[in-house]
Amino acid sequence: PSELGNLVRMRSWFQFQINELTGQLPTEFGKLVELEEMFALEFCEFSGSIPSQYGRLARMSSYFGISSNPKLGNTIPSQLGQLKEMQKKFRIFDNALSLAIPTQLGQLGQMSSLLYLHSNSLTSMIPTQ
């Protein structure tokens, strides 16, 4: 439920994996601005788009995952480039995402390991920036 976005003091382990959860991803989860590790909405049945509000999770440093939701489409929001503290495990794979990889992901300058963008329907060139 979107009311979980009111858990504004969460610092770690906001995890919904391997469930039969459906519907659109709540934009309210973008209010979890204190979250530093483990934001996982994976292996479910979410549909619609990844909310641009998730770019507000600017303290995230480890494990941002929106993966294996085969009905989740549209594009990777450019606002995810605002997760500038990300160091490892940025996982957006096995969805129905299309179009280009946003150049703003090049702003994830702290990334040292595990950037997963595979098994989508991404097009265009890999950004050089």
Side-chain angles (χ1 to χ4, degrees):
S2 61
E3 290 81 9
L4 292 174
N6 294 327
L7 302 174
V8 295
R9 293 187 177 175
M10 288 286 299
R11 298 195 113 176
S12 64
W13 292 86
F14 190 81
Q15 179 180 14
F16 293 90
Q17 292 177 310
I18 314 171
N19 288 292
E20 295 181 20
L21 299 172
T22 61
Q24 296 193 348
L25 294 171
T27 59
E28 290 85 357
F29 291 173
K31 295 181 195 175
L32 303 172
V33 296
E34 298 293 322
L35 201 59
E36 297 174 0
E37 63 179 342
M38 184 56 81
F39 179 79
L41 305 171
E42 301 180 305
F43 305 99
C44 296
E45 297 293 324
F46 291 117
S47 59
S49 304
I50 299 172
S52 61
Q53 290 87 342
Y54 293 2
R56 295 181 189 155
L57 306 178
R59 292 187 181 197
M60 286 295 302
S61 63
S62 176
Y63 209 113
F64 179 90
I66 301 177
S67 303
S68 295
N69 294 289
K71 297 176 185 173
L72 189 64
N74 211 334
T75 63
I76 298 172
S78 61
Q79 290 85 349
L80 295 184
Q82 297 171 10
L83 305 179
K84 295 178 182 174
E85 298 298 319
M86 280 302 299
Q87 297 174 23
K88 59 185 174 182
K89 296 185 182 175
F90 185 86
R91 300 162 42 104
I92 299 181
F93 67 86
D94 199 19
N95 298 301
L97 299 172
S98 60
L99 301 177
I101 299 168
T103 58
Q104 290 85 348
L105 290 187
Q107 297 172 0
L108 304 177
Q110 300 295 318
M111 283 295 296
S112 61
S113 65
L114 304 174
L115 174 70
Y116 293 105
L117 297 176
H118 65 83
S119 300
N120 287 294
S121 296
L122 299 171
T123 60
S124 191
M125 305 280 288
I126 295 175
T128 58
Q129 303 163 341

